[in-house]
Amino acid sequence: MVPESKLERTEHGLEPAGGGWYVLNMRDAGWRHAEGRGAVCIVSDDFEGWRRDADQLGVNPFVLMPGEPMSMYHWEADQEDFLVVFGEAVLVVEGQERPLRAWDFVHSPPHTKHVIVGAGHGPCLVIAVGARAHDGQPDSLGFPADEVAKRYGASVAEDTLDGDIAYGSVPGREPTAYRDGWLPG
């Protein structure tokens, strides 16, 4: 029998403590935020911090305002998928732009170069799901320079495999609690 994970309160919200199943409302969970980079809920794992060693998938709900990139333009050695739940966004994929709206689903096989940027007139909620089979292994993540992504402030100047270099010129997301208005309804 799989036990229920206890939820622990931190200064920024609830988070699961240990393995097991749990139910956690995103409004009660911890978040990370940076002006110009949006917010990510750490209901499952922390996109820019800890990873659960046993998790096969990372689930990261992002709230992006118009013009805010979810990440730097990148590729990963594992599959990623994205579901736009609310609002509008722009997908830059393999050097091309594609508009996204609520309920658009994006499938990104391993090594697909991509980034999602908030668009429209208000917040956009995107659920990102990524496999973790190659997480942390050498050459499992890369940041190619791209002219289209550069227009959105989401491209490195030169290709790199080093995340510290790729994100060195943008503010890091800081731990925070949920803010009213980030999630619809």
Side-chain angles (χ1 to χ4, degrees), residues 72-75 90-97 112-115 117 142-160:
M72 297 302 280
Y73 187 72
H74 69 285
W75 58 263
V90 172
L91 169 68
V92 179
V93 59
E94 296 295 331
Q96 301 175 43
E97 287 181 71
T112 302
K113 295 173 267 205
H114 64 279
V115 66
V117 181
F143 303 89
D146 181 85
E147 287 302 313
V148 177
K150 182 187 272 185
R151 292 197 308 253
Y152 293 98
S155 178
V156 294
E158 295 181 10
D159 294 1
T160 184

Side-chain angles (χ1 to χ4, degrees), residues 37 71-74 141-145 153-171:
R37 295 200 55 224
S71 63
M72 297 302 280
Y73 187 72
H74 69 285
L141 177 65
F143 303 89
S155 178
V156 294
E158 295 181 10
D159 294 1
T160 184
L161 297 176
D162 188 330
D164 290 336
I165 292 172
Y167 287 95
S169 65
V170 297

Side-chain angles (χ1 to χ4, degrees), residues 19-174:
W21 65 270
Y22 59 92
V23 175
L24 177 55
N25 188 287
M26 288 172 32
R27 287 181 174 89
D28 298 326
W31 288 71
R32 284 185 169 274
H33 176 261
E35 287 299 322
R37 295 200 55 224
V40 59
C41 180
I42 53 174
V43 68
S44 169
D45 69 358
D46 188 342
F47 176 73
E48 297 175 334
W50 58 268
R51 302 271 202 209
R52 293 180 192 280
D53 293 334
D55 285 354
Q56 296 173 351
L57 297 174
V59 179
N60 297 112
F62 284 86
V63 174
L64 304 170
M65 295 304 290
E68 291 183 331
M70 178 185 292
S71 63
M72 297 302 280
Y73 187 72
H74 69 285
W75 58 263
E76 295 188 28
D78 291 308
Q79 171 182 328
E80 285 188 290
D81 290 307
F82 306 93
L83 177 64
V84 179
V85 177
F86 180 82
E88 299 174 53
V90 172
L91 169 68
V92 179
V93 59
E94 296 295 331
Q96 301 175 43
E97 287 181 71
R98 296 289 168 94
L100 300 174
R101 62 186 182 358
W103 301 114
D104 281 346
F105 178 82
V106 177
H107 172 64
S108 180
H111 302 283
T112 302
K113 295 173 267 205
H114 64 279
V115 66
I116 293 177
V117 181
H121 301 289
C124 173
L125 173 60
V126 180
I127 307 297
V129 178
R132 297 287 187 243
H134 295 94
D135 206 30
Q137 295 178 8
D139 301 333
S140 63
L141 177 65
F143 303 89
D146 181 85
E147 287 302 313
V148 177
K150 182 187 272 185
R151 292 197 308 253
Y152 293 98
S155 178
V156 294
E158 295 181 10
D159 294 1
T160 184
L161 297 176
D162 188 330
D164 290 336
I165 292 172
Y167 287 95
S169 65
V170 297
R173 290 187 181 99
E174 296 294 328

